[in-house]
Amino acid sequence: MSFSRFLRSLSAVVLAVSLAACQTAGAPSQSGASSGQAAAVQTASLPVVSYAPATAQERGFSALVLNAATGQELYAVNADAPRFPASLTKMMTLYMLFESVSSGENRLSSPLNISANAASQPPAKIGLKAGSTISVEQAARALAVKSANDVGVAVAENLAGSEAAFAREMTQKARALGLSRTRFVNATGLPDPAQVTTARDMAKLGLALKRRFPQYASYYRAKSFTYNGRTFRATNNLLGKVQGVDGLKTGYVRMSGYNLVATARRGGKQLIVVVIGGQSETARDAEVTRLIEAHFQAG
């Protein structure tokens, strides 16, 4: 069996299991907040979303540059090809968290309970302890700066009762935002062949995040985050190094390669640049920098 055929088969199996889990996920984790319990019950009644078949290519390369003010496409390479988002996923986790504050479900000071499941997630993480809490604001900063997986799962469990239920809500929100080729099955971007997106969808998500919630723009610009006495450096290497860069999100798993959604502003011009499938962190950063410089110089 060819690798691509194997991956298609594996994707179908994982998607079926994930959708089944989403349909049955109604009970919140023991550490979930009461608001999360209510959200889980509501989530159980959501319809199953149907998708056109899409198999992402391992380390497939995509790039896209948009005028961030108008949405005009300035440059594209495989912008609509299916790709693995890795931690670009956390842009949607942040969107859902900020939306819970906007709706009044949470405040920035609201505590999120940490389950053993959340605490056990693999790096990147900030070392949350089971039975402890983290505020919504601290969680948002940890996601934006450190891309913490333990925080991502904690957000999912508190907002929807379980990560599977939250992933269904993420995908429903993706459809509402016009992300037609994106499917989420977890809140972190940890490896799963059923978690698929495109460079164009990630650009749309980045723009939606910054336009809907401009009050949190400083979170994406921050070069570090301090929690429980430890300081974590931002994963976005272009902050402070490339003129005008003011966010947004990095990502990496072996299947995806090195990903980056970057926003930049110079004078009156704004860009959003997406690179997915970089061969290394250095190569990804160099390509994003090249695209930023080229399109600012183009006027």
Side-chain angles (χ1 to χ4, degrees), residues 59-280:
R59 287 182 175 263
F61 181 82
S62 293
L64 181 67
V65 181
L66 300 180
N67 181 316
T70 66
Q72 177 188 3
E73 179 180 306
L74 305 176
Y75 174 88
V77 176
N78 300 322
D80 297 303
R83 301 288 185 243
F84 298 115
S87 282
L88 300 184
T89 296
K90 295 186 180 82
M91 290 192 294
M92 182 60 85
T93 305
L94 280 165
Y95 191 100
M96 304 288 282
L97 183 59
F98 293 150
E99 196 166 62
S100 80
V101 175
S102 179
S103 69
E105 178 185 353
N106 282 297
R107 297 180 178 180
L108 290 177
S109 60
S110 297
L112 302 177
N113 298 307
I114 310 305
S115 70
N117 178 48
S120 69
Q121 295 301 306
K125 61 196 298 182
I126 61 171
L128 296 176
K129 304 298 183 184
S132 67
T133 63
I134 186 172
S135 72
V136 166
E137 181 176 7
Q138 289 173 316
R141 292 184 182 277
L143 290 172
V145 175
K146 179 58 179 174
S147 194
N149 293 322
D150 47 357
V151 175
V153 173
V155 168
E157 292 176 342
N158 279 266
L159 264 59
S162 72
E163 188 174 14
F166 187 68
R168 281 189 67 191
E169 291 186 345
M170 291 170 73
T171 302
Q172 295 285 351
K173 183 60 64 177
R175 291 297 170 275
L177 294 174
L179 279 61
S180 61
R181 296 178 174 87
T182 295
R183 174 176 60 240
F184 295 112
V185 296
N186 64 50
T188 60
L190 285 168
D192 193 311
Q195 185 128 319
V196 178
T197 191
T198 67
R200 193 177 308 279
D201 276 5
M202 289 296 95
K204 289 180 180 179
L205 178 56
L207 289 175
L209 182 61
K210 296 197 75 172
R211 289 172 177 172
R212 173 78 190 279
F213 306 108
Q215 64 269 42
Y216 305 117
S218 64
Y219 292 15
Y220 322 122
R221 292 196 302 265
K223 298 177 185 178
S224 65
F225 163 73
T226 300
Y227 176 75
N228 201 24
R230 294 180 61 192
T231 298
F232 302 91
R233 179 179 172 273
T235 60
N236 187 347
N237 301 321
L238 303 190
L239 291 168
K241 294 182 179 179
V242 177
Q243 181 187 353
V245 170
D246 55 8
L248 245 175
K249 192 71 193 70
T250 63
Y252 170 79
V253 293
R254 183 188 61 81
M255 293 191 303
S256 71
Y258 293 84
N259 304 343
L260 175 60
V261 174
T263 55
R265 179 193 298 264
R266 291 184 190 174
K269 189 170 183 178
Q270 303 171 55
L271 298 176
I272 184 163
V273 178
V274 181
V275 166
I276 294 178
Q279 292 300 306
S280 68

Side-chain angles (χ1 to χ4, degrees), residues 16-78:
V17 172
S18 300
L19 289 176
C22 292
Q23 289 175 296
T24 58
S29 63
Q30 292 181 348
S31 63
S34 59
S35 60
Q37 294 173 0
V41 173
Q42 295 172 359
T43 301
S45 64
L46 289 173
V48 174
V49 179
S50 59
Y51 309 95
T55 300
Q57 177 186 347
E58 286 211 18
R59 287 182 175 263
F61 181 82
S62 293
L64 181 67
V65 181
L66 300 180
N67 181 316
T70 66
Q72 177 188 3
E73 179 180 306
L74 305 176
Y75 174 88
V77 176
N78 300 322

